[in-house]
Amino acid sequence: MGAEGIADFLPDRHENLLRRDPDKYSDMVRGVTAFGIYLIDRAGRVRSWNQGAAKITGIPEGEIIGQPFSSLFAESPAREGVPQRTLEFVRANRHSRDEQRRRRGNGDDFMAQCSLDALRSESGELLGFVEVFQDVTEQKQREDQLYQRATRDALSGLFNRGHFMEQAALEIDRARRFAEPFSVVIIDIDHFKKINDTYGHEVGDKAIAVLAHTLAKDVRKIDICGRIGGEEFALALPRANKEPAMEFAQRLRRRIAEQRLVISPGKEIGFTASLGVASLRSTTRDLAELLRNADAALYRAKREGRNRVEAWFE
């Protein structure tokens, strides 16, 4: 067959043939190589396997015919019951279009875009299923790379300023909607210019990377970390009022002070950071105001001698 698109092989274009003579449909699509196309019987076992399915997965026809649908999935989704839920959904709704992690014959995983349809007789009896799939792994990787470049700071690996502000603003809206506490912490490396001037920008970059790693390792899954300036970081803490936010900030301050930067063989230096904490109040207008409050607390920590945590008060 030529350069047809995936729509040319979707079951709704061949519904009568599939119902009347599924084997003839299998023969018709056997030579298609751009897409995997195969039939599944009522018991959920693979009944046919075209050249595209063999090419994409690396699984020859002789090894897959008669095997359960679940054998096509990567280990994690198979263990989580994705194959069974997919078939149950299609039994009830006739159609499913999804991206799923499947397996290759050599054990590797790949991301597949799958269109699965139920085959039913004119009386409504379930005859089986037909799936058309394609490998979209490279496409998903490119999308992920673009997303990472758009949302992540290259040096620290944390959210960049724009994405941090966007996500933190959403969390403030959620906190207000559900009347939950919310706090922010601003972290600034002490004497950063001196580190750069004395040891060079490479060591300064190491300090940024080490602080980012320390921060990312200590936060909860719901927390939001970002690098919002040269040596300045911000942390949004959903469901945390001033007391737990201060406790976390003090713990983080101590862990930062424990870190060491290798500046040459056998020579290490330490560094510290100052932190400012601010919590959401009913009078707080928006994220910008909350960050200004945390910034004011940060500069009080700097004035009071650095390597310390201060909270903002009205």
Side-chain angles (χ1 to χ4, degrees):
M1 289 193 179
E4 296 93 336
I6 191 169
D8 294 292
F9 307 110
L10 293 179
D12 59 357
R13 296 196 59 172
H14 306 279
E15 185 174 357
N16 290 334
L17 178 61
L18 279 161
R19 185 185 297 127
R20 185 179 69 252
D21 193 347
D23 290 334
K24 187 172 181 180
Y25 173 79
S26 297
D27 290 340
M28 181 185 75
V29 300
R30 181 174 295 278
V32 175
T33 58
F35 306 103
I37 308 173
Y38 65 100
L39 298 175
I40 305 167
D41 65 21
R42 284 184 297 184
R45 296 188 176 277
V46 177
R47 176 177 165 182
S48 70
W49 196 244
N50 81 332
Q51 290 182 22
K55 177 183 175 183
I56 292 170
T57 65
I59 303 174
E61 182 179 13
E63 290 185 11
I64 198 64
I65 298 298
Q67 296 301 310
F69 178 57
S70 59
S71 67
L72 300 175
F73 284 73
E75 181 179 351
S76 178
R79 186 173 59 248
E80 294 166 3
V82 173
Q84 292 82 356
R85 289 199 301 272
T86 301
L87 290 180
E88 288 168 5
F89 180 87
V90 176
R91 282 192 187 99
N93 298 280
R94 298 185 67 93
H95 174 76
S96 171
R97 185 174 175 84
D98 198 8
E99 290 178 354
Q100 297 175 335
R101 189 157 293 282
R102 300 291 181 87
R103 74 170 182 91
R104 300 193 197 276
N106 63 5
D108 292 342
D109 295 355
F110 73 100
M111 186 61 69
Q113 185 180 80
C114 313
S115 181
L116 182 66
D117 286 80
L119 304 179
R120 292 189 179 276
S121 67
E122 292 183 359
S123 63
E125 179 188 3
L126 180 67
L127 303 175
F129 307 87
V130 57
E131 182 174 84
V132 180
F133 72 94
Q134 63 184 134
D135 185 352
V136 293
T137 305
E138 291 186 3
Q139 175 187 329
K140 299 302 292 182
Q141 288 173 342
R142 286 195 298 270
E143 290 174 358
D144 185 61
Q145 289 169 358
L146 289 172
Y147 176 78
Q148 293 294 327
R149 284 201 291 268
T151 62
R152 296 280 175 173
D153 171 65
L155 178 57
S156 69
L158 303 178
F159 285 158
N160 58 30
R161 181 182 180 87
H163 197 59
F164 172 84
M165 300 292 280
E166 178 183 328
Q167 296 301 306
L170 291 174
E171 283 299 323
I172 280 188
D173 290 343
R174 190 198 59 78
R176 282 194 163 124
R177 186 164 62 250
F178 295 105
E180 293 180 344
F182 180 86
S183 298
V184 296
V185 182
I186 293 184
I187 306 118
D188 189 88
I189 298 175
D190 294 329
H191 302 297
F192 186 72
K193 185 177 184 302
K194 184 177 180 181
I195 293 173
N196 275 333
D197 291 345
T198 304
Y199 303 106
H201 289 282
E202 183 178 346
V203 174
D205 288 350
K206 283 184 180 180
I208 289 170
V210 166
L211 190 149
H213 177 74
T214 304
L215 181 58
K217 188 170 64 174
D218 280 7
V219 297
R220 302 167 299 171
K221 288 184 178 180
I222 63 172
D223 297 335
I224 304 167
C225 308
R227 183 185 176 201
I228 61 172
E231 68 272 27
E232 193 169 67
F233 299 79
L235 176 64
L237 301 174
R239 304 172 194 167
N241 58 25
K242 188 177 76 173
E243 286 72 24
M246 285 290 290
E247 290 175 8
F248 174 82
Q250 288 288 9
R251 186 167 65 250
L252 179 62
R253 180 192 64 78
R254 290 192 293 270
R255 297 218 176 155
I256 292 169
E258 293 169 357
Q259 305 305 310
R260 292 295 178 267
L261 304 176
V262 178
I263 60 173
S264 63
K267 186 174 182 180
E268 299 177 342
I269 62 166
F271 67 99
T272 61
S274 299
L275 299 89
V277 177
S279 298
L280 185 66
R281 295 177 166 222
S282 59
T283 55
T284 307
R285 289 189 294 272
D286 52 25
L287 175 63
E289 180 178 347
L290 192 60
L291 288 172
R292 284 195 298 272
N293 294 341
D295 200 49
L298 168 68
Y299 277 92
R300 184 161 57 248
K302 294 281 190 182
R303 289 195 305 270
E304 294 296 325
R306 296 181 170 84
N307 189 25
R308 59 187 293 125
V309 178
E310 292 288 344
W312 178 81
F313 307 80
E314 277 190 329

